[in-house]
Amino acid sequence: MEFEALKKETVLLNPLKNMERRSIPSEIRKDPLTGRTARICHFMKLSWPKPDFEKMTAGTETNCPFCAERIFEVTPHFPPEIIPEGRLTLDDMVLFPNLAPYDCLSAVATLGARHYIPMTEITADLIGRGFSLAMSFFRRVRDLKHHEAVYYLVNWNYMPVSGSSLIHPHLQVFSSASAPNIMVEELIAAKRYQDQNGSNYWEDLIQSETNSGERFLGKTGRTTWLSAYAPFGVAGDVLGVVEGAASTLDLTNQDLFDIGLGLTRAMAAYDDMGIYSFNLNFFTGAETDEFTRFHILFSPRTFFNPALGTPDIGALRNLYNETLCMAYPEDIAGVLKPYFE
Ligand SMILES: [Zn+2]
């Protein structure tokens, strides 16, 4: 397994120190699977001031469509040929069609009746049950042999910084025959890797990262947690790979809670840096794609300038899909690892 990095150096003169020469390092890394590049640059301490959450969330429950007093009035039903009972529920969690669908079978699942859950109060049990509700939707559409029942995906935008338009925690749950960009690249590359090497890329990655230990964070059940080598997020990414599972439907109920546990550890670590928002995606193969492994990517989201509300995604990332991370993923691993022990 090759972890390629191109090291660079910028020299500038500092007017505050009599034009002393200053050298600033940076690095361009290649994702070992796809070759996608990620820049490690713009180094800064991974620490942000936290806002006043009470002020931020105040009044947002007044018209919240996901709060208990409104959810059964305002959220739509699936047609009977998809879900005969209209919606799916698990305890106080509700899954219903997305009013703004991005695919044919597009749902939203609330993570319960509570309007605002601080990141540190999200439990493994809550995540496990939320994923479990999503799984019951996926099994339904699989059993229907729906033509879009190929890739079973969950996205989670937690808090507005990550792209969420509501405070009330909820998952985007969808099933599609059209795999999203990065996932397609990964699937093609993982298939090629298997054909060329006769082994599974993800199992090899687990082995290699566990042996080197540089980015290894820990294990929960059969999920291995790593600080991603070429992250998307400015504060790194936490990658969880499930051994032996090729697709979402291979996950057992125990896997869902084990994934939940790992995620709460990542959340605790990033909370201590002042981060309170994240994106999370499922990456899966189709049911017969034995060349891949189910993995989950947790990417913390923050601001470049919290006072101005400057997001952490600019032209470089938005239009080139070139990512930047403000610390070495190995150093980030050093910060995260104690939380996983
Ligand atoms: Zn609400």
Side-chain angles (χ1 to χ4, degrees):
M1 185 137 313
E2 259 189 273
F3 294 96
E4 277 181 72
L6 187 59
K7 291 184 192 301
K8 304 208 176 192
E9 186 193 22
T10 305
V11 174
L12 43 80
L13 307 181
N14 184 352
L16 303 176
K17 283 192 178 170
N18 206 20
M19 293 300 173
E20 201 178 87
R21 286 170 80 90
R22 188 177 156 213
S23 163
I24 304 172
S26 65
E27 198 171 298
I28 301 180
R29 293 188 170 197
K30 271 193 184 175
D31 181 84
L33 177 61
T34 61
R36 172 184 59 80
T37 51
R39 287 169 195 247
I40 314 298
C41 58
H42 202 328
F43 294 97
M44 61 162 267
K45 189 172 178 345
L46 299 183
S47 174
W48 288 265
K50 274 190 203 160
D52 180 341
F53 293 111
E54 212 164 298
K55 210 167 125 193
M56 179 192 280
T57 59
T60 57
E61 70 284 1
T62 315
N63 290 308
C64 175
F66 299 168
C67 274
E69 55 274 37
R70 257 165 254 106
I71 190 159
F72 292 109
E73 304 297 324
V74 301
T75 60
H77 278 213
F78 282 100
E81 63 274 22
I82 306 288
I83 306 285
E85 62 270 50
R87 305 183 186 99
L88 297 176
T89 57
L90 176 66
D91 307 325
D92 60 347
M93 299 179 175
V94 188
L95 183 146
F96 48 87
N98 193 338
L99 267 177
Y102 23 75
D103 211 309
C104 168
L105 296 173
S106 193
V108 169
T110 65
L111 288 175
R114 191 173 166 197
H115 177 71
Y116 167 55
I117 309 179
M119 195 165 78
T120 47
E121 291 178 37
I122 296 172
T123 61
D125 175 70
L126 184 93
I127 299 169
R129 285 186 297 120
F131 288 169
S132 171
L133 178 58
M135 293 291 274
S136 48
F137 175 68
F138 296 148
R139 282 189 211 102
R140 290 290 193 99
V141 298
R142 189 254 330 254
D143 293 348
L144 289 173
K145 302 192 179 2
H146 195 286
H147 66 280
E148 298 284 1
V150 181
Y151 301 108
Y152 304 105
L153 303 171
V154 170
N155 291 181
W156 187 358
N157 302 314
Y158 174 76
M159 293 298 272
V161 189
S162 71
S164 176
S165 56
L166 293 168
I167 297 292
H168 202 123
H170 61 284
L171 305 174
Q172 311 283 340
V173 178
F174 58 113
S175 174
S176 178
S178 315
N181 277 319
I182 302 289
M183 218 176 83
V184 171
E185 282 173 30
E186 286 192 355
L187 289 173
I188 292 170
K191 172 84 170 60
R192 191 171 55 224
Y193 183 96
Q194 172 112 336
D195 291 345
Q196 284 172 358
N197 300 283
S199 59
N200 183 292
Y201 167 80
W202 293 99
E203 304 279 355
D204 288 358
L205 178 75
I206 293 171
Q207 186 85 57
S208 165
E209 291 290 61
T210 306
N211 291 345
S212 95
E214 282 184 289
R215 288 167 295 273
F216 177 83
L217 301 175
K219 273 194 93 168
T220 55
R222 53 177 188 159
T223 302
T224 298
W225 297 95
L226 307 170
S227 169
Y229 177 74
F232 289 93
V234 296
D237 291 337
V238 173
L239 171 66
V241 187
V242 185
E243 261 170 85
S247 81
T248 306
L249 286 178
D250 293 332
L251 300 176
T252 64
N253 217 39
Q254 185 61 46
D255 289 329
L256 304 181
F257 287 88
D258 290 337
I259 292 169
L261 181 60
L263 290 172
T264 59
R265 290 173 175 171
M267 288 175 199
Y270 280 105
D271 175 76
D272 282 345
M273 298 179 207
I275 285 183
Y276 60 93
S277 181
F278 59 82
N279 296 123
L280 176 156
N281 282 4
F282 279 19
F283 288 78
T284 174
E287 273 190 90
T288 52
D289 289 346
E290 281 306 322
F291 55 81
T292 191
R293 285 293 172 266
F294 178 91
H295 51 287
I296 195 159
L297 202 55
F298 172 93
S299 193
R301 293 293 307 275
T302 184
F303 296 105
F304 280 143
N305 185 335
L308 291 176
T310 310
D312 58 7
I313 289 180
L316 189 72
R317 169 70 192 280
N318 193 29
L319 304 181
Y320 288 150
N321 196 23
E322 185 79 2
T323 59
L324 73 90
C325 179
M326 303 190 297
Y328 290 105
E330 297 69 34
D331 294 342
I332 295 172
V335 175
L336 302 181
K337 199 168 179 186
Y339 294 84
F340 281 81
E341 280 163 355

